[in-house]
Amino acid sequence: MQTFFIVAILVLGFLITFQIAKTSEYVSVLRGEEKSRRQSNNINAFLLLAFLIIGLFGVYYCNETLKDKILYVSASVEGENIDTMMWITTALTGFVFIITQIALFWFAFKYRESDKRTAYYFPHHSTLEVIWTVIPAVTLTVMIGFGLYYWFKITGEAPKNAMVVEVTGSQFQWDFRYPGKDKILGKKYYKNINAATNNPLGQVWDDPANHDDIHTTGEVHIVVNKPVKFIIGAKDVIHDVGLVHFRQKMDAVPGTPTTMWFTPKYTTKQMKEITGNPDFVYEISCDQMCGKGHWSMRGVVIVETQEEFDTWMFSQKPQYYVAFPDKDPSNPAFKPDSTSAGSAAVSVGNNQAKTRQ
Amino acid sequence: MDAMHANPEVVTTHDVQHDGHHEHHQSFITKYIFSQDHKTIGKQFLITGMIWAIIGGLFSVLFRLQLGFPGESFPILETVFGKTWAPGGTIKPEFYYALITMHGTILVFFVLTAGLSGTFANLLIPLQIGARDMASPFLNMLSYWFFFLASVVMMSSLFIQTGPAAGGWTVYPPLSALHDASIGSELGMDLWIISIALFVISTLMGGLNYISTVLNLRTKGMSMTRLPLTIWAVFFTAMVGVLAFPVLLSGLILLFFDRNLGTSFYLSDIVVNGQIMPNEGGNAILFQHLFWFLGHPEVYIVILPTMGIVSEVISINSRKPIFGYIAMIGSLFAITTLSFLVWAHHMFVSGMNPLLGSFFVLLTLLIAVPSAIKTFNWLTTLWRGNIRFTPAMLFSIGFVSLFISGGLTGIYLGNSTLDIQLHDTMFSIAHFHLVMGVAAFFGMFSGLYHWFPKMFGRYMNPTLGYIHFWVTLIGAYLIFWPMHYEGLAGMPRRYLDKSPWVSFNQFGDLDRMISIVAIIVFAIQLMFVFNFFYSIFKGRKVTTLNPWKANTLEWTTPIKPGHGNWPGEIPEVHRWAYDYSKDGRDFIPQTEPVGANEKIEH
Ligand code: HEM
Ligand SMILES: [Cu+2]
Ligand SMILES: [Cu+2]
């Protein structure tokens, strides 16, 4: 019913407009075409001027309404560079935008057709043309300079002390893996991936470095003020680790690992205060079209203090124990000298891991 | 220069073959369907393009319904699209992704490439260079029919059970390569590839024809530096197309193999839906390089013809020569060349080596320089003119405004540092819709209002034209300007519902406003379509040869030119196309010999 009304109104409005348009054409023929052409020429000239003024005001209004809804402070140290760059670019392009739009609409209005004026034959002017080749070129060079300086800072090698976390995207969830106490991520092979045997990432259990690796889904914990390096991959199609608040983004490509690193500045708790939003969380958005659930492929980053992190980490169980409960010392069924796969190199425990370091 | 003149022999044979007297022997089929007349072929491209534009536009209205009113039910959707795609009147995610994919594909390729170049290159090249037809009218006809076939195949994919392709217009594998990854990667994707392959063939045939016609069939006196900028623009467009489209074709062939023959060009280490794929050693990013090697030039294939149209229309209606004619050609050339060297700016965060990325930053921002030159030259053309605001002129002014707004945001995206933040967000959607989508449509409308009298011997109703212009201009800014803010907030593109998100759910009101405006703007386009068809039959008749008082050759043909364009000899050209308001004369047609004491530009 509602749809019907809307369509009816549109059709009616259209018919009226059409009749008016048609009539105006006849009237113009009657009144003398030249005269009515002049008239509509003036009307359009004034409308262009009005559009300029209202438009510039609209730009201001839009900014006033929406500026508080965009980004808060950068939550990573590196992201501050991006924010600086954003300001420089906005200042420069904003200036050019205002000047050129004013010129465009003002010229159009000012030089509207009039009997008093003849157009000025002005086919070219070398100096002018050189000026507006050189000025944009120089300005852009400056911006390239700034941009690349920050670009190399952000994409350069991660600091040595960075904590390493592996991120894996799949339709439509995020998985994370910590290297555990040995600080080494164990080997993976994609053909080992098997949800039924509790090996969602395809870890190679023969590799002892895998035995202390912690696996989580949907939520990743990192430590404030400590650089973190993500090693990013995907199981099925291309995804993208998008971290708005940290100003970071990197594709997750099956078969080709990528990396990103940053230093979180505020804990989730602090960010709740900064944003004034008690529900605030750092989110991972998938930024690369990955199928029907793309829009809902959400992850959460929890930034916390070192102590909080340690407590959390302590409560986590390596995926190895999930896959082989009988290897888990905390399991009543624990058998230290079991014969099942990989046990020879293992005998669980930290001793082994330490030797590897 | 003389060697460049049209070969007189060729002209004579054409004279004989396509003499106007032949006209009435043609049957309906040879005249309107399998026509070899460039003007008719141009109209075929145009009308096919318009049908596609309506479909593509309607798709955007549908997904804007979802974006503006997520979760709300529109029972009519279920009636039209059935329970599979719109159960209970809400759009299923699979449907949403099919809609956006088809919207992009249709508008970029079928409307703004074939519809735009096909219309104006065909209509204007022979008429403005003084030729009786294209170098190969037959190939020209084939070019349209391959486009038609491509259209049929793409259209058929809309009606199959698994639906059309749904991985975005960029069809990145592995998503597009794995049948199990998405319903849109079933048969719909094969049809997409086949359709685009046919499309590429059409573009190549058209493009080669445009290039050879411009090079070989210019009339006496029409040296390259006397060509109107419209011709330069479609000429460069054809070159870009001929060089770039084959690369896409090869990329798609490999994709087709990966999909159906078990090869591993793009696939490696994949487990999809719990199923382990045997492919190892491929590289998914390779496809992106091949795609964007076309994809970036493609955006210039879309915008260059409209730059030509806008230059022409602004000059005529300002009653002034286009400012910096040679600089305009130079910047077209620079854009053409550079457009092949910037493709990886679409891939800054794909894991590409940052050093390599930095070269692409440099080259990308370099391409902003010729764009800036063109803008300043348009502004200077307006300066101290005596401006007539025909609907065509208004759309050209709107084009410049939109091109500035969208071009400036390109400078954000081209700087890789900022692209980390903005890539694949609504900011990039806003950027390319302003600079390419809407601007190219404005250029196209401008050309249609301007050359409609030449195409159909009648005028379109100007009042409807003015309404069309104002609603579309205001609407375009209302839709796309605030979208930048969503992007600055990090809102990813291709998200059909933001309610599960803490970071992106603050724009509900804005999204609703955008959707409503989008529906209004779409309705106004339908009014344009009505005006167009109504005017073909009932518009005010053109009674003078040269209604806009323009200099170019098409206005020396009869009001309704037959096949062959000029009933007698092809006129000779004595000057460039831009002698407006020179030596106290309003305009001096290209056919007028140079006066004894006259100083000429070219
Ligand atoms: C001033 C010069 C321009 C620069 C520096 C520029 C830069 C860029 C960059 C870097 C991107 C990638 C953004 C991303 O995905 O993160 C982009 C996207 C795009 N640009 Fe531009 N651009 C410019 C002008 C244009 C023009 C003139 C057009 C078309 C006529 C255009 C059409 C597009 C399109 C269609 C996309 C999006 C493709 C997609 O991802 O679906 N751009 N632009
Ligand atoms: Cu995704
Ligand atoms: Cu590009």
Side-chain angles (χ1 to χ4, degrees), chain A residues 4-214:
Chain A
F4 173 77
F5 268 125
I6 293 173
V7 171
I9 288 170
L10 281 177
V11 170
L12 201 68
F14 174 72
L15 283 177
I16 294 170
T17 323
F18 176 67
Q19 284 312 325
I20 294 173
K22 221 39 225 171
T23 323
S24 72
E25 209 171 12
Y26 293 134
V27 170
S28 85
V29 173
L30 288 180
R31 267 208 329 203
E33 287 187 39
E34 189 52 23
K35 200 171 149 221
S36 48
R37 195 182 65 74
R38 287 298 168 98
Q39 197 184 20
S40 75
N41 215 61
N42 281 331
I43 294 175
N44 278 299
F46 277 100
L47 285 176
L48 286 167
L49 186 65
F51 180 78
L52 172 70
I53 296 167
I54 297 172
L56 288 179
F57 178 76
V59 167
Y60 171 79
Y61 173 79
C62 177
N63 188 58
E64 285 302 302
T65 338
L66 297 177
K67 69 175 186 218
D68 296 331
K69 296 190 173 181
I70 54 173
L71 294 172
Y72 304 97
V73 291
S74 165
S76 76
V77 179
E78 295 70 24
E80 287 168 354
N81 295 327
I82 293 182
D83 286 5
T84 315
M85 195 62 221
M86 192 76 84
W87 281 115
I88 298 174
T89 310
T90 304
L92 278 170
T93 55
F95 176 74
V96 176
F97 172 81
I98 290 173
I99 297 292
T100 47
Q101 298 283 6
I102 289 180
L104 173 66
F105 288 100
W106 175 249
F107 288 170
F109 169 75
K110 172 111 196 283
Y111 300 108
R112 66 190 182 279
E113 184 173 19
S114 144
D115 287 334
K116 287 184 225 112
R117 183 173 29 244
T118 42
Y120 170 47
Y121 184 78
F122 187 46
H124 67 86
H125 189 287
S126 306
T127 323
L128 274 181
E129 289 168 73
V130 170
I131 289 177
W132 57 58
T133 310
V134 171
I135 291 183
V138 171
T139 319
L140 287 166
T141 313
V142 173
M143 291 178 45
I144 295 170
F146 273 109
L148 290 184
Y149 171 71
Y150 293 136
W151 170 247
F152 285 120
K153 261 172 65 165
I154 295 168
T155 58
E157 276 299 309
K160 287 278 175 302
N161 64 335
M163 160 175 149
V164 174
V165 185
E166 182 192 72
V167 184
T168 307
S170 60
Q171 290 178 328
F172 299 95
Q173 70 173 38
W174 294 107
D175 286 86
F176 307 93
R177 184 160 68 116
Y178 293 85
K181 295 207 179 63
D182 65 357
K183 301 209 165 142
I184 296 176
L185 286 163
K187 289 202 188 66
K188 286 194 313 184
Y189 183 48
Y190 80 103
K191 288 189 178 173
N192 290 3
I193 293 177
N194 190 338
T197 59
N198 281 317
N199 193 356
L201 296 176
Q203 283 167 281
V204 177
W205 299 128
D206 289 343
D207 180 2
N210 262 320
H211 296 164
D212 62 347
D213 288 4
I214 309 286

Side-chain angles (χ1 to χ4, degrees), chain A residues 172 238-240 286-291 293-295 297, chain B residues 495:
Chain A
F172 299 95
I238 302 179
H239 302 272
D240 183 286
C286 178
D287 285 350
Q288 182 63 260
M289 176 68 201
C290 59
H294 169 56
W295 60 284
M297 189 165 157
Chain B
Y495 269 28

Side-chain angles (χ1 to χ4, degrees), chain B residues 56 63 99-110 169:
Chain B
F63 66 68
L99 286 172
I100 59 157
T101 304
M102 283 298 116
H103 167 79
T105 306
I106 290 170
L107 285 157
V108 172
F109 292 118
F110 289 14
W169 78 284

Side-chain angles (χ1 to χ4, degrees), chain B residues 98-372:
Chain B
L99 286 172
I100 59 157
T101 304
M102 283 298 116
H103 167 79
T105 306
I106 290 170
L107 285 157
V108 172
F109 292 118
F110 289 14
V111 180
L112 293 177
T113 303
L116 179 64
S117 279
T119 304
F120 289 102
N122 268 308
L123 177 73
L124 295 180
I125 291 177
L127 283 174
Q128 288 196 330
I129 68 170
R132 300 224 176 260
D133 205 315
M134 287 290 174
S136 167
F138 178 68
L139 233 108
N140 205 26
M141 176 183 80
L142 277 189
S143 159
Y144 172 74
W145 286 103
F146 268 92
F147 170 49
F148 184 81
L149 273 183
S151 297
V152 170
V153 175
M154 193 62 82
M155 188 76 83
S156 69
S157 80
L158 301 177
F159 295 96
I160 60 177
Q161 204 207 342
T162 47
W169 78 284
T170 51
V171 298
Y172 284 180
L175 180 61
S176 62
L178 304 170
H179 293 257
D180 288 336
S182 148
I183 191 171
S185 304
E186 303 273 8
L187 182 60
M189 192 58 219
D190 289 316
L191 293 177
W192 194 95
I193 295 175
I194 294 167
S195 169
I196 297 298
L198 292 167
F199 184 89
V200 172
I201 295 171
S202 154
T203 313
L204 294 183
M205 286 195 288
L208 290 173
N209 226 336
Y210 306 152
I211 294 171
S212 56
T213 309
V214 173
L215 290 179
N216 297 315
L217 294 189
R218 280 166 290 122
T219 184
K220 186 149 185 277
M222 182 66 92
S223 60
M224 289 300 272
T225 48
R226 285 181 182 166
L227 287 174
L229 286 171
T230 31
I231 300 302
W232 274 109
V234 289
F235 176 68
F236 281 124
T237 307
M239 298 241 255
V240 178
V242 165
L243 294 174
F245 267 111
V247 179
L248 175 70
L249 183 60
S250 57
L252 289 180
I253 291 173
L254 302 188
L255 178 59
F256 193 82
F257 287 173
D258 271 9
R259 287 175 52 75
N260 301 314
L261 302 178
T263 54
S264 311
F265 292 105
Y266 308 128
L267 304 178
S268 188
D269 299 21
I270 288 170
V271 182
V272 62
N273 264 342
Q275 184 196 335
I276 294 165
M277 305 290 291
N279 314 69
E280 282 181 80
N283 186 339
I285 301 300
L286 171 64
F287 178 85
Q288 301 186 9
H289 283 291
L290 295 175
F291 182 88
W292 287 115
F293 191 84
L294 160 89
H296 185 82
E298 168 63 21
V299 307
Y300 286 98
I301 292 175
V302 166
I303 209 70
L304 288 179
T306 62
M307 288 174 159
I309 292 171
V310 165
S311 305
E312 187 70 13
V313 169
I314 287 190
S315 167
I316 292 174
N317 289 293
S318 303
R319 312 311 294 162
K320 274 187 68 190
I322 189 75
F323 181 79
Y325 173 75
I326 293 293
M328 286 306 225
I329 300 173
S331 52
L332 286 176
F333 177 73
I335 289 175
T336 301
T337 318
L338 284 174
S339 75
F340 284 101
L341 302 174
V342 300
W343 78 90
H345 65 212
H346 296 270
M347 301 161 58
F348 284 137
V349 298
S350 66
M352 183 172 67
N353 182 324
L355 183 64
L356 186 61
S358 68
F359 288 107
F360 281 99
V361 173
L362 193 75
L363 291 161
T364 298
L365 293 194
L366 215 56
I367 210 170
V369 176
S371 308

